[in-house]
PDB file of all heavy atoms in Angstrom:
ATOM      1  N   ARG A  69     -11.541   1.716  18.831  1.00 94.00           N
ATOM      2  CA  ARG A  69     -11.735   2.846  19.812  1.00 94.00           C
ATOM      3  C   ARG A  69     -10.530   3.686  19.958  1.00 94.00           C
ATOM      4  O   ARG A  69     -10.550   4.966  20.151  1.00 94.00           O
ATOM      5  CB  ARG A  69     -12.162   2.276  21.180  1.00 94.00           C
ATOM      6  CG  ARG A  69     -13.659   1.816  21.143  1.00 94.00           C
ATOM      7  CD  ARG A  69     -14.096   1.130  22.457  1.00 94.00           C
ATOM      8  NE  ARG A  69     -13.865   1.979  23.524  1.00 94.00           N
ATOM      9  CZ  ARG A  69     -14.831   2.915  23.904  1.00 94.00           C
ATOM     10  NH1 ARG A  69     -15.926   2.934  23.232  1.00 94.00           N
ATOM     11  NH2 ARG A  69     -14.618   3.720  24.878  1.00 94.00           N
ATOM     12  N   ARG A  96     -12.472  15.870  15.042  1.00 77.00           N
ATOM     13  CA  ARG A  96     -11.642  14.788  14.546  1.00 77.00           C
ATOM     14  C   ARG A  96     -12.060  14.359  13.188  1.00 77.00           C
ATOM     15  O   ARG A  96     -13.148  14.827  12.775  1.00 77.00           O
ATOM     16  CB  ARG A  96     -11.812  13.457  15.471  1.00 77.00           C
ATOM     17  CG  ARG A  96     -11.148  13.667  16.749  1.00 77.00           C
ATOM     18  CD  ARG A  96     -11.039  12.406  17.488  1.00 77.00           C
ATOM     19  NE  ARG A  96     -12.315  11.675  17.668  1.00 77.00           N
ATOM     20  CZ  ARG A  96     -12.908  11.758  18.821  1.00 77.00           C
ATOM     21  NH1 ARG A  96     -12.467  12.263  19.855  1.00 77.00           N
ATOM     22  NH2 ARG A  96     -14.071  11.202  18.912  1.00 77.00           N
ATOM     23  N   ARG A  99     -15.583   9.256  12.535  1.00 94.00           N
ATOM     24  CA  ARG A  99     -16.819   9.134  13.171  1.00 94.00           C
ATOM     25  C   ARG A  99     -17.066   7.713  13.453  1.00 94.00           C
ATOM     26  O   ARG A  99     -16.714   6.886  12.528  1.00 94.00           O
ATOM     27  CB  ARG A  99     -17.993   9.662  12.255  1.00 94.00           C
ATOM     28  CG  ARG A  99     -17.973  11.163  12.064  1.00 94.00           C
ATOM     29  CD  ARG A  99     -18.418  11.896  13.255  1.00 94.00           C
ATOM     30  NE  ARG A  99     -18.511  13.366  13.109  1.00 94.00           N
ATOM     31  CZ  ARG A  99     -17.554  14.205  13.551  1.00 94.00           C
ATOM     32  NH1 ARG A  99     -16.411  13.758  14.150  1.00 94.00           N
ATOM     33  NH2 ARG A  99     -17.633  15.507  13.279  1.00 94.00           N
ATOM     34  N   MET A 100     -17.806   7.386  14.495  1.00 94.00           N
ATOM     35  CA  MET A 100     -18.053   6.006  14.909  1.00 94.00           C
ATOM     36  C   MET A 100     -19.511   5.633  14.774  1.00 94.00           C
ATOM     37  O   MET A 100     -20.412   6.414  15.053  1.00 94.00           O
ATOM     38  CB  MET A 100     -17.525   5.827  16.385  1.00 94.00           C
ATOM     39  CG  MET A 100     -17.919   4.509  16.883  1.00 94.00           C
ATOM     40  SD  MET A 100     -16.623   3.266  16.572  1.00 94.00           S
ATOM     41  CE  MET A 100     -15.695   3.359  18.072  1.00 94.00           C
ATOM     42  N   PHE A 102     -21.664   3.030  16.339  1.00 92.00           N
ATOM     43  CA  PHE A 102     -21.561   2.112  17.558  1.00 92.00           C
ATOM     44  C   PHE A 102     -22.394   0.763  17.298  1.00 92.00           C
ATOM     45  O   PHE A 102     -23.431   0.817  16.586  1.00 92.00           O
ATOM     46  CB  PHE A 102     -22.097   2.810  18.757  1.00 92.00           C
ATOM     47  CG  PHE A 102     -21.209   3.888  19.295  1.00 92.00           C
ATOM     48  CD1 PHE A 102     -21.352   5.172  18.687  1.00 92.00           C
ATOM     49  CD2 PHE A 102     -20.245   3.649  20.195  1.00 92.00           C
ATOM     50  CE1 PHE A 102     -20.520   6.230  19.035  1.00 92.00           C
ATOM     51  CE2 PHE A 102     -19.432   4.685  20.558  1.00 92.00           C
ATOM     52  CZ  PHE A 102     -19.442   5.902  20.059  1.00 92.00           C
ATOM     53  N   SER A 104     -24.231  -0.643  19.411  1.00 88.00           N
ATOM     54  CA  SER A 104     -25.625  -0.395  19.920  1.00 88.00           C
ATOM     55  C   SER A 104     -26.424   0.694  19.102  1.00 88.00           C
ATOM     56  O   SER A 104     -27.457   1.064  19.576  1.00 88.00           O
ATOM     57  CB  SER A 104     -25.649  -0.040  21.445  1.00 88.00           C
ATOM     58  OG  SER A 104     -24.937   1.171  21.607  1.00 88.00           O
ATOM     59  N   ALA A 106     -26.373   3.580  19.500  1.00 94.00           N
ATOM     60  CA  ALA A 106     -26.273   4.836  20.292  1.00 94.00           C
ATOM     61  C   ALA A 106     -27.117   6.025  19.790  1.00 94.00           C
ATOM     62  O   ALA A 106     -26.607   7.168  19.779  1.00 94.00           O
ATOM     63  CB  ALA A 106     -24.786   5.238  20.510  1.00 94.00           C
ATOM     64  N   LEU A 107     -28.254   5.763  19.195  1.00 95.00           N
ATOM     65  CA  LEU A 107     -29.118   6.923  18.794  1.00 95.00           C
ATOM     66  C   LEU A 107     -29.609   7.555  19.867  1.00 95.00           C
ATOM     67  O   LEU A 107     -29.896   6.983  20.938  1.00 95.00           O
ATOM     68  CB  LEU A 107     -30.243   6.388  17.768  1.00 95.00           C
ATOM     69  CG  LEU A 107     -29.786   5.645  16.512  1.00 95.00           C
ATOM     70  CD1 LEU A 107     -30.911   5.142  15.806  1.00 95.00           C
ATOM     71  CD2 LEU A 107     -28.932   6.549  15.604  1.00 95.00           C
ATOM     72  N   PHE A 108     -29.806   8.948  19.882  1.00 95.00           N
ATOM     73  CA  PHE A 108     -30.352   9.721  20.949  1.00 95.00           C
ATOM     74  C   PHE A 108     -31.840   9.406  21.116  1.00 95.00           C
ATOM     75  O   PHE A 108     -32.595   9.834  20.219  1.00 95.00           O
ATOM     76  CB  PHE A 108     -29.938  11.088  20.791  1.00 95.00           C
ATOM     77  CG  PHE A 108     -28.549  11.428  20.573  1.00 95.00           C
ATOM     78  CD1 PHE A 108     -28.085  12.272  19.576  1.00 95.00           C
ATOM     79  CD2 PHE A 108     -27.538  10.798  21.371  1.00 95.00           C
ATOM     80  CE1 PHE A 108     -26.805  12.462  19.391  1.00 95.00           C
ATOM     81  CE2 PHE A 108     -26.233  11.048  21.161  1.00 95.00           C
ATOM     82  CZ  PHE A 108     -25.803  11.845  20.154  1.00 95.00           C
ATOM     83  N   PRO A 109     -32.295   8.730  22.043  1.00 92.00           N
ATOM     84  CA  PRO A 109     -33.690   8.307  22.179  1.00 92.00           C
ATOM     85  C   PRO A 109     -34.737   9.358  22.272  1.00 92.00           C
ATOM     86  O   PRO A 109     -35.900   9.291  21.840  1.00 92.00           O
ATOM     87  CB  PRO A 109     -33.762   7.353  23.405  1.00 92.00           C
ATOM     88  CG  PRO A 109     -32.565   7.827  24.199  1.00 92.00           C
ATOM     89  CD  PRO A 109     -31.481   8.341  23.268  1.00 92.00           C
ATOM     90  N   HIS A 110     -34.246  10.527  22.707  1.00 91.00           N
ATOM     91  CA  HIS A 110     -35.127  11.745  22.918  1.00 91.00           C
ATOM     92  C   HIS A 110     -35.150  12.690  21.746  1.00 91.00           C
ATOM     93  O   HIS A 110     -35.786  13.753  21.814  1.00 91.00           O
ATOM     94  CB  HIS A 110     -34.817  12.510  24.193  1.00 91.00           C
ATOM     95  CG  HIS A 110     -33.393  13.025  24.215  1.00 91.00           C
ATOM     96  ND1 HIS A 110     -32.297  12.167  24.093  1.00 91.00           N
ATOM     97  CD2 HIS A 110     -32.927  14.255  24.268  1.00 91.00           C
ATOM     98  CE1 HIS A 110     -31.190  12.852  24.073  1.00 91.00           C
ATOM     99  NE2 HIS A 110     -31.595  14.200  24.202  1.00 91.00           N
ATOM    100  N   ARG A 122     -24.927  20.534  13.976  1.00 94.00           N
ATOM    101  CA  ARG A 122     -25.126  21.626  14.941  1.00 94.00           C
ATOM    102  C   ARG A 122     -23.967  21.803  15.912  1.00 94.00           C
ATOM    103  O   ARG A 122     -23.597  22.946  16.149  1.00 94.00           O
ATOM    104  CB  ARG A 122     -26.407  21.272  15.821  1.00 94.00           C
ATOM    105  CG  ARG A 122     -27.607  22.043  15.523  1.00 94.00           C
ATOM    106  CD  ARG A 122     -28.721  21.919  16.498  1.00 94.00           C
ATOM    107  NE  ARG A 122     -28.989  20.703  17.148  1.00 94.00           N
ATOM    108  CZ  ARG A 122     -28.791  20.563  18.509  1.00 94.00           C
ATOM    109  NH1 ARG A 122     -28.497  21.561  19.168  1.00 94.00           N
ATOM    110  NH2 ARG A 122     -29.166  19.386  19.130  1.00 94.00           N
ATOM    111  N   MET A 123     -23.288  20.766  16.221  1.00 92.00           N
ATOM    112  CA  MET A 123     -22.152  20.910  17.101  1.00 92.00           C
ATOM    113  C   MET A 123     -20.973  21.552  16.335  1.00 92.00           C
ATOM    114  O   MET A 123     -20.148  22.210  16.915  1.00 92.00           O
ATOM    115  CB  MET A 123     -21.606  19.448  17.589  1.00 92.00           C
ATOM    116  CG  MET A 123     -22.663  18.728  18.534  1.00 92.00           C
ATOM    117  SD  MET A 123     -23.207  19.888  19.982  1.00 92.00           S
ATOM    118  CE  MET A 123     -24.853  20.042  19.741  1.00 92.00           C
ATOM    119  N   ARG A 153     -36.991   4.622  18.708  1.00 91.00           N
ATOM    120  CA  ARG A 153     -37.619   3.373  19.174  1.00 91.00           C
ATOM    121  C   ARG A 153     -38.790   2.936  18.274  1.00 91.00           C
ATOM    122  O   ARG A 153     -39.222   1.856  18.343  1.00 91.00           O
ATOM    123  CB  ARG A 153     -38.202   3.585  20.570  1.00 91.00           C
ATOM    124  CG  ARG A 153     -39.197   4.703  20.699  1.00 91.00           C
ATOM    125  CD  ARG A 153     -39.857   4.820  22.067  1.00 91.00           C
ATOM    126  NE  ARG A 153     -40.765   5.849  22.073  1.00 91.00           N
ATOM    127  CZ  ARG A 153     -40.416   7.177  22.382  1.00 91.00           C
ATOM    128  NH1 ARG A 153     -39.191   7.441  22.694  1.00 91.00           N
ATOM    129  NH2 ARG A 153     -41.375   8.129  22.376  1.00 91.00           N
ATOM    130  N   ARG A 167     -26.276   9.740  10.583  1.00 96.00           N
ATOM    131  CA  ARG A 167     -25.802  10.773  11.587  1.00 96.00           C
ATOM    132  C   ARG A 167     -24.266  10.899  11.457  1.00 96.00           C
ATOM    133  O   ARG A 167     -23.735  12.003  11.675  1.00 96.00           O
ATOM    134  CB  ARG A 167     -26.115  10.231  12.881  1.00 96.00           C
ATOM    135  CG  ARG A 167     -25.888  11.132  14.071  1.00 96.00           C
ATOM    136  CD  ARG A 167     -26.391  10.738  15.354  1.00 96.00           C
ATOM    137  NE  ARG A 167     -25.589   9.530  15.797  1.00 96.00           N
ATOM    138  CZ  ARG A 167     -25.701   8.880  16.970  1.00 96.00           C
ATOM    139  NH1 ARG A 167     -26.704   9.385  17.884  1.00 96.00           N
ATOM    140  NH2 ARG A 167     -24.989   7.908  17.322  1.00 96.00           N
TER     141      ARG A 167
ATOM    142  N   ASP B 166     -26.986   3.901  28.482  1.00 85.00           N
ATOM    143  CA  ASP B 166     -25.934   3.430  27.581  1.00 85.00           C
ATOM    144  C   ASP B 166     -24.868   4.434  27.456  1.00 85.00           C
ATOM    145  O   ASP B 166     -25.004   5.532  27.023  1.00 85.00           O
ATOM    146  CB  ASP B 166     -26.688   3.236  26.224  1.00 85.00           C
ATOM    147  CG  ASP B 166     -25.695   2.778  25.147  1.00 85.00           C
ATOM    148  OD1 ASP B 166     -24.514   2.517  25.526  1.00 85.00           O
ATOM    149  OD2 ASP B 166     -26.210   2.546  23.992  1.00 85.00           O
ATOM    150  N   SER B 168     -22.497   4.556  25.540  1.00 91.00           N
ATOM    151  CA  SER B 168     -22.098   5.069  24.219  1.00 91.00           C
ATOM    152  C   SER B 168     -22.882   6.217  23.763  1.00 91.00           C
ATOM    153  O   SER B 168     -22.523   6.833  22.727  1.00 91.00           O
ATOM    154  CB  SER B 168     -22.225   3.844  23.228  1.00 91.00           C
ATOM    155  OG  SER B 168     -23.425   3.239  23.137  1.00 91.00           O
ATOM    156  N   LEU B 169     -24.016   6.533  24.368  1.00 93.00           N
ATOM    157  CA  LEU B 169     -24.762   7.795  23.950  1.00 93.00           C
ATOM    158  C   LEU B 169     -23.937   9.034  24.217  1.00 93.00           C
ATOM    159  O   LEU B 169     -23.862   9.868  23.286  1.00 93.00           O
ATOM    160  CB  LEU B 169     -26.015   7.923  24.739  1.00 93.00           C
ATOM    161  CG  LEU B 169     -27.111   7.026  24.569  1.00 93.00           C
ATOM    162  CD1 LEU B 169     -28.352   7.185  25.461  1.00 93.00           C
ATOM    163  CD2 LEU B 169     -27.632   7.087  23.006  1.00 93.00           C
ATOM    164  N   GLU B 171     -20.619   9.018  24.450  1.00 92.00           N
ATOM    165  CA  GLU B 171     -19.484   8.888  23.540  1.00 92.00           C
ATOM    166  C   GLU B 171     -19.906   9.365  22.187  1.00 92.00           C
ATOM    167  O   GLU B 171     -19.048   9.944  21.423  1.00 92.00           O
ATOM    168  CB  GLU B 171     -18.972   7.411  23.487  1.00 92.00           C
ATOM    169  CG  GLU B 171     -18.286   7.105  24.774  1.00 92.00           C
ATOM    170  CD  GLU B 171     -17.541   5.757  24.709  1.00 92.00           C
ATOM    171  OE1 GLU B 171     -18.073   4.890  23.905  1.00 92.00           O
ATOM    172  OE2 GLU B 171     -16.493   5.592  25.421  1.00 92.00           O
ATOM    173  N   ALA B 172     -20.996   8.890  21.656  1.00 94.00           N
ATOM    174  CA  ALA B 172     -21.575   9.236  20.378  1.00 94.00           C
ATOM    175  C   ALA B 172     -21.633  10.788  20.299  1.00 94.00           C
ATOM    176  O   ALA B 172     -21.280  11.349  19.221  1.00 94.00           O
ATOM    177  CB  ALA B 172     -22.910   8.679  20.086  1.00 94.00           C
ATOM    178  N   ASP B 175     -18.249  12.207  19.927  1.00 92.00           N
ATOM    179  CA  ASP B 175     -17.714  11.927  18.699  1.00 92.00           C
ATOM    180  C   ASP B 175     -18.262  12.913  17.664  1.00 92.00           C
ATOM    181  O   ASP B 175     -17.564  13.144  16.696  1.00 92.00           O
ATOM    182  CB  ASP B 175     -18.099  10.446  18.319  1.00 92.00           C
ATOM    183  CG  ASP B 175     -17.326   9.876  17.077  1.00 92.00           C
ATOM    184  OD1 ASP B 175     -16.065  10.090  17.105  1.00 92.00           O
ATOM    185  OD2 ASP B 175     -17.925   9.237  16.269  1.00 92.00           O
ATOM    186  N   LEU B 176     -19.468  13.269  17.830  1.00 93.00           N
ATOM    187  CA  LEU B 176     -20.070  14.192  16.859  1.00 93.00           C
ATOM    188  C   LEU B 176     -19.681  15.742  17.276  1.00 93.00           C
ATOM    189  O   LEU B 176     -20.301  16.607  16.612  1.00 93.00           O
ATOM    190  CB  LEU B 176     -21.545  14.031  16.897  1.00 93.00           C
ATOM    191  CG  LEU B 176     -21.946  12.724  16.271  1.00 93.00           C
ATOM    192  CD1 LEU B 176     -23.405  12.395  16.725  1.00 93.00           C
ATOM    193  CD2 LEU B 176     -21.848  12.740  14.727  1.00 93.00           C
ATOM    194  N   ALA B 178     -19.587  17.268  20.393  1.00 91.00           N
ATOM    195  CA  ALA B 178     -20.111  18.013  21.505  1.00 91.00           C
ATOM    196  C   ALA B 178     -19.163  18.207  22.649  1.00 91.00           C
ATOM    197  O   ALA B 178     -18.416  17.266  22.884  1.00 91.00           O
ATOM    198  CB  ALA B 178     -21.386  17.240  21.972  1.00 91.00           C
ATOM    199  N   ARG B 182     -22.157  20.638  26.542  1.00 92.00           N
ATOM    200  CA  ARG B 182     -23.172  20.301  25.555  1.00 92.00           C
ATOM    201  C   ARG B 182     -23.745  18.866  25.758  1.00 92.00           C
ATOM    202  O   ARG B 182     -25.015  18.709  25.765  1.00 92.00           O
ATOM    203  CB  ARG B 182     -22.551  20.294  24.169  1.00 92.00           C
ATOM    204  CG  ARG B 182     -22.470  21.695  23.604  1.00 92.00           C
ATOM    205  CD  ARG B 182     -23.588  21.915  22.716  1.00 92.00           C
ATOM    206  NE  ARG B 182     -23.892  23.382  22.650  1.00 92.00           N
ATOM    207  CZ  ARG B 182     -24.962  23.985  22.379  1.00 92.00           C
ATOM    208  NH1 ARG B 182     -26.055  23.191  22.304  1.00 92.00           N
ATOM    209  NH2 ARG B 182     -25.120  25.160  22.323  1.00 92.00           N
ATOM    210  N   GLU B 186     -27.590  18.442  26.449  1.00 92.00           N
ATOM    211  CA  GLU B 186     -28.389  17.892  25.333  1.00 92.00           C
ATOM    212  C   GLU B 186     -28.676  16.392  25.480  1.00 92.00           C
ATOM    213  O   GLU B 186     -29.617  15.866  24.855  1.00 92.00           O
ATOM    214  CB  GLU B 186     -27.708  18.204  23.923  1.00 92.00           C
ATOM    215  CG  GLU B 186     -27.470  19.759  23.825  1.00 92.00           C
ATOM    216  CD  GLU B 186     -27.812  20.106  22.439  1.00 92.00           C
ATOM    217  OE1 GLU B 186     -28.485  19.416  21.734  1.00 92.00           O
ATOM    218  OE2 GLU B 186     -27.402  21.225  22.032  1.00 92.00           O
ATOM    219  N   ILE B 187     -27.827  15.703  26.127  1.00 92.00           N
ATOM    220  CA  ILE B 187     -28.014  14.272  26.232  1.00 92.00           C
ATOM    221  C   ILE B 187     -28.308  13.804  27.633  1.00 92.00           C
ATOM    222  O   ILE B 187     -29.442  13.299  27.895  1.00 92.00           O
ATOM    223  CB  ILE B 187     -26.692  13.463  25.700  1.00 92.00           C
ATOM    224  CG1 ILE B 187     -26.277  14.125  24.331  1.00 92.00           C
ATOM    225  CG2 ILE B 187     -26.921  11.963  25.613  1.00 92.00           C
ATOM    226  CD1 ILE B 187     -27.242  13.843  23.198  1.00 92.00           C
ATOM    227  N   PRO B 190     -31.628  15.612  29.498  1.00 88.00           N
ATOM    228  CA  PRO B 190     -32.959  15.272  29.073  1.00 88.00           C
ATOM    229  C   PRO B 190     -33.373  13.775  29.350  1.00 88.00           C
ATOM    230  O   PRO B 190     -34.338  13.398  29.680  1.00 88.00           O
ATOM    231  CB  PRO B 190     -32.879  15.394  27.536  1.00 88.00           C
ATOM    232  CG  PRO B 190     -31.728  16.359  27.340  1.00 88.00           C
ATOM    233  CD  PRO B 190     -30.881  16.199  28.408  1.00 88.00           C
ATOM    234  N   LEU B 191     -32.321  12.910  29.297  1.00 88.00           N
ATOM    235  CA  LEU B 191     -32.560  11.483  29.522  1.00 88.00           C
ATOM    236  C   LEU B 191     -32.721  11.195  31.044  1.00 88.00           C
ATOM    237  O   LEU B 191     -33.383  10.263  31.466  1.00 88.00           O
ATOM    238  CB  LEU B 191     -31.381  10.685  29.024  1.00 88.00           C
ATOM    239  CG  LEU B 191     -31.263  10.617  27.479  1.00 88.00           C
ATOM    240  CD1 LEU B 191     -30.171   9.884  27.055  1.00 88.00           C
ATOM    241  CD2 LEU B 191     -32.535  10.060  26.857  1.00 88.00           C
ATOM    242  N   THR B 268     -41.008   3.941  27.727  1.00 58.00           N
ATOM    243  CA  THR B 268     -40.046   4.297  26.763  1.00 58.00           C
ATOM    244  C   THR B 268     -38.865   3.435  26.762  1.00 58.00           C
ATOM    245  O   THR B 268     -38.374   2.937  25.659  1.00 58.00           O
ATOM    246  CB  THR B 268     -39.497   5.740  27.097  1.00 58.00           C
ATOM    247  OG1 THR B 268     -40.665   6.545  27.503  1.00 58.00           O
ATOM    248  CG2 THR B 268     -38.900   6.429  25.944  1.00 58.00           C
ATOM    249  N   LYS B 271     -39.755   0.018  25.176  1.00 48.00           N
ATOM    250  CA  LYS B 271     -39.836   0.225  23.728  1.00 48.00           C
ATOM    251  C   LYS B 271     -38.505   0.161  23.063  1.00 48.00           C
ATOM    252  O   LYS B 271     -38.253  -0.403  22.114  1.00 48.00           O
ATOM    253  CB  LYS B 271     -40.723   1.420  23.390  1.00 48.00           C
ATOM    254  CG  LYS B 271     -42.150   1.171  23.347  1.00 48.00           C
ATOM    255  CD  LYS B 271     -42.860   2.312  22.697  1.00 48.00           C
ATOM    256  CE  LYS B 271     -44.285   2.353  22.969  1.00 48.00           C
ATOM    257  NZ  LYS B 271     -44.982   3.662  23.055  1.00 48.00           N
TER     258      LYS B 271
END
Side-chain angles (χ1 to χ4, degrees):
Chain A
R69 287 174 59 83
R96 292 194 301 258
R99 290 285 183 262
M100 173 86 96
F102 290 83
S104 63
L107 299 179
F108 307 130
H110 58 300
R122 252 190 329 113
M123 295 304 119
R153 63 174 177 273
R167 184 177 68 177
Chain B
D166 179 1
S168 59
L169 289 176
E171 288 191 331
D175 194 45
L176 291 162
R182 278 262 157 210
E186 301 226 15
I187 310 297
L191 293 177
T268 317
K271 274 189 193 155

